[in-house]
Amino acid sequence: MGPIAVASHLGPFLPGHPIIRTGGEKSIGPVSAAPWGSPSILPISWAYIVMMGANGLRKATEFAILNANYMAKRLESHYPILYKGSTGRVAHEFIIDLRSVKGSSGVEAEDVAKRLMDYGFHAPTVSFPVAGTMMIEPTESESKAELDRFCDALISIRGEIREIEEGFADKQDNVLKNSPHTAAMIASDGWSAAYSREKAAFPTPWTRTHKFWPSVGRVNNAYGDRNLICSCPPIEEYSEEPGSPQEAQK
């Protein structure tokens, strides 16, 4: 619910609308039905503010800041933390810098994001606002046990990166570069990785008792962004052949 800014050379291509004058002279038409965005999001914010009240909003904010600083403190000896204040504190979110390990191990932020799936987590924001980093925003809603579980996962992943840095793991054939690991990969008779299935799928105690199995293995994100790939059946399969049940009903 805010303005969208683009560089001047993209101005002529901003979306237009048939009802009101908006967009550029080379617009290809609207990208949504309403030129004013989605108004339904406003009642959600209003209801949250009203139900929380002034005291509730203040308390939620305090917990969000406390949670972020707790996690940052636990992780600062394992990952550099960007943009600390003069007191060494962060706000309601913090950024771990993964750029330094790229040169020493070949591991990038994307690899850590994929590996987190093996630990049962959806990765937080990757490469924003700084490329090669991960921005973590725990909010006020997570328990200390869950904050610790996430920190433990990142600390364990840092240990896996260290194995690459010290030559105990191959720079290409390792748990990070091959992650995430699906159940089909682990159960396959053709397992050929240099590490064990156990290391791939069960890196921590909680993954043995409450395992989340990623449904899809590693994909080429950049290729997928640049190339339209249709997974639907070919159009011929939708055609009705003479004598089919559908034809008989006619």
Side-chain angles (χ1 to χ4, degrees):
M1 296 303 299
I4 298 175
V6 299
S8 58
H9 68 286
L10 296 177
F13 304 97
L14 286 172
H17 199 273
I19 304 301
I20 65 170
R21 181 176 177 82
T22 183
E25 63 271 16
K26 295 183 179 181
S27 168
I28 60 173
V31 295
S32 65
W36 302 280
S38 176
S40 63
I41 196 174
L42 296 177
I44 299 174
S45 303
W46 175 83
Y48 177 78
I49 293 171
V50 170
M51 288 188 292
M52 293 288 284
N55 292 334
L57 290 173
R58 180 183 178 89
K59 187 174 182 179
T61 302
E62 290 172 344
F63 269 103
I65 295 173
L66 177 63
N67 288 348
N69 278 277
Y70 172 74
M71 294 183 73
K73 192 65 179 178
R74 277 208 64 191
L75 294 172
E76 66 179 2
S77 60
H78 305 277
Y79 301 93
I81 307 296
L82 297 184
Y83 306 136
K84 290 182 180 180
S86 58
T87 61
R89 300 287 186 262
V90 297
H92 65 290
E93 60 193 16
F94 64 99
I95 300 172
I96 62 172
D97 193 352
L98 296 162
R99 293 172 296 181
S100 60
V101 302
K102 182 178 180 180
S104 59
S105 66
V107 171
E108 303 186 49
E110 179 185 0
D111 300 318
V112 175
K114 303 290 187 184
R115 181 58 172 158
L116 276 170
M117 295 175 68
D118 289 328
Y119 285 79
F121 291 102
H122 187 291
T125 304
V126 174
S127 291
F128 178 85
V130 181
T133 67
M134 188 172 286
M135 184 172 67
I136 302 171
E137 184 179 1
T139 76
E140 72 283 358
S141 60
E142 303 294 347
S143 66
K144 181 177 180 297
E146 192 66 6
L147 300 181
D148 282 330
R149 194 168 73 92
F150 190 77
C151 288
D152 290 342
L154 284 175
I155 292 170
S156 178
I157 289 174
R158 185 63 184 93
E160 294 170 348
I161 296 173
R162 193 170 295 109
E163 290 178 356
I164 302 171
E165 293 173 328
E166 296 176 354
F168 295 106
D170 186 79
K171 280 197 171 185
Q172 295 301 322
D173 186 9
N174 58 67
V175 289
L176 285 114
K177 289 295 183 182
N178 293 335
S179 62
H181 299 85
T182 65
M185 293 169 62
I186 299 300
S188 172
D189 291 336
W191 181 263
S192 60
Y195 50 91
S196 68
R197 289 179 170 90
E198 182 179 24
K199 186 177 182 66
F202 305 108
T204 57
W206 71 77
T207 54
R208 294 182 177 278
T209 56
H210 297 88
K211 176 63 180 176
F212 167 80
W213 289 103
S215 57
V216 179
R218 178 67 68 104
V219 297
N220 188 325
N221 294 344
Y223 183 88
D225 290 342
R226 292 178 173 85
N227 298 272
L228 177 62
I229 303 172
C230 181
S231 60
C232 54
I235 193 64
E236 291 77 17
E237 292 192 15
Y238 294 97
S239 63
E240 296 178 357
E241 298 181 2
S244 65
Q246 294 87 348
E247 194 70 26
Q249 290 175 4
K250 295 178 182 179

